[in-house]
Amino acid sequence: GESVGLHLPTLSVQEGDNSIINCAYSNSASDYFIWYKQESGKGPQFIIDIRSNMDKRQGQRVTVLLNKTVKHLSLQIAATQPGDSAVYFCAEKEANTGNQFYFGTGTSLTVIP
Amino acid sequence: DTEVTQTPKHLVMGMTNKKSLKCEQHMGHRAMYWYKQKAKKPPELMFVYSYEKLSINESVPSRFSPECPNSSLLNLHLHALQPEDSALYLCASSQGWGSGNTIYFGEGSWLTVV
C-alpha cells in the first residue's frame, strides 16, 4: 500500500473553535480522497470527499483542502462541537486501480467543553 | 445511520470454532468490501467483491473465507482463527468498483478469539 500519514495523532480543541486535521500522502497518482469520522465503537462515517481536479470542497461546517503540489490534505471543522470528538481518517485512492482505498493512521480529536 | 448492516455486533469464538460474519446492504450497490481494524489503527482492506465476483484478496490467510451469495449480501466465514485475529471487522459497500465511488461502512462486528 501507499503511505498515507497524518501529522498529529491527537488534537484537543475548545468547543466553538475551529479544528484543522492534516493528512500527508505520498502517491502522486492518487485521484480521490475521502475523510471519515469514527466514533468509539462505531464504523467509519463518510464526512466529505474531494477529487484531484479540485483544491477545495465545502460541506456543512467542514471544508477539505487539497494541495497536490505538496501532497497534502486537510479537514477543517468550523465551530467544533463535543459531538465532533472522534478519530478522523483520510483515505486515498490511486487512479485507475478500481476503488481500492488506503487509510491514513488517524487523528484523535477531543473537544473540550 | 449506516445502511450497511452487520451481524453479529459481537462474537467470541474459540480457536477450533467455525463462525460467520454477515453483512447486508439495500442501496443497490454492486461492490462490497471486508476490512479489518485493530485497536487504534486504520482499517485494512481484506477482500473486495464486484458484481458478486471476488476482485481483490489482499493476501488474507485462508482461515478467512469470504462469500457473496448475491449483490446485497456478503459473508465472512471464520475457521481456526488465532487470538491475533481479534479485531473489528468492517463491511462496506460502494455503488460500483469503478474509480471514485464513495465507500460506506457498517458499524462492524467485534470479534474476540479465545
Side-chain angles (χ1 to χ4, degrees):
Chain A
E2 301 296 335
S3 172
V4 182
L6 297 179
H7 295 308
L8 296 172
T10 61
L11 178 65
S12 295
V13 298
Q14 287 290 140
E15 181 177 358
D17 287 352
N18 296 334
S19 303
I20 299 177
I21 300 172
N22 296 303
C23 180
Y25 64 96
S26 59
N27 188 354
S28 57
S30 292
D31 68 346
Y32 184 43
F33 303 86
I34 301 177
W35 279 103
Y36 288 94
K37 171 187 180 183
Q38 188 173 26
E39 297 176 86
S40 181
K42 295 189 175 183
Q45 176 187 1
F46 171 87
I47 301 174
I48 193 167
D49 59 357
I50 190 166
R51 298 182 192 274
S52 59
N53 61 352
M54 304 173 69
D55 52 21
K56 180 179 180 179
R57 193 149 189 246
Q58 289 184 291
Q60 187 178 8
R61 284 201 305 118
V62 294
T63 300
V64 55
L65 299 177
L66 175 62
N67 186 329
K68 294 181 289 294
T69 302
V70 295
K71 296 197 283 288
H72 184 267
L73 191 70
S74 69
L75 176 70
Q76 300 178 0
I77 305 173
T80 314
Q81 302 168 359
D84 295 326
S85 294
V87 177
Y88 290 81
F89 291 101
C90 65
E92 64 161 346
K93 189 198 73 64
E94 183 178 333
N96 303 317
T97 60
N99 218 36
Q100 198 165 343
F101 281 86
Y102 294 98
F103 282 75
T105 52
T107 292
S108 177
L109 174 66
T110 300
V111 181
I112 304 166
Chain B
D1 289 339
T2 179
E3 294 184 64
V4 179
T5 304
Q6 292 187 239
T7 55
K9 180 74 170 174
H10 297 276
L11 177 63
V12 179
M13 63 184 290
M15 289 188 283
T16 58
N17 291 159
K18 284 186 181 181
K19 296 286 184 183
S20 297
L21 305 179
K22 298 185 182 300
C23 176
E24 188 170 11
Q25 57 88 12
H26 292 291
M27 294 180 282
H29 288 176
R30 301 314 299 266
M32 296 187 76
Y33 310 73
W34 280 115
Y35 281 80
K36 174 182 177 180
Q37 186 177 24
K38 300 284 277 185
K40 301 186 187 301
K41 297 290 186 182
E44 296 178 347
L45 183 64
M46 299 175 71
F47 302 105
V48 181
Y49 274 83
S50 175
Y51 289 85
E52 298 148 51
K53 288 184 169 33
L54 185 64
S55 297
I56 298 283
N57 176 343
E58 290 280 348
S59 302
V60 179
S62 60
R63 58 185 184 269
F64 295 92
S65 175
E67 178 196 20
C68 189
N70 60 54
S71 60
S72 300
L73 294 174
L74 185 67
N75 299 322
L76 186 63
H77 302 299
L78 315 170
H79 175 54
L81 295 193
Q82 303 296 312
E84 59 265 29
D85 295 322
S86 299
L88 177 66
Y89 288 85
L90 294 162
C91 176
S93 69
S94 64
Q95 192 165 13
W97 175 239
S99 186
N101 281 276
T102 304
I103 295 180
Y104 297 95
F105 286 86
E107 298 287 39
S109 291
W110 291 92
L111 173 67
T112 302
V113 181
V114 297

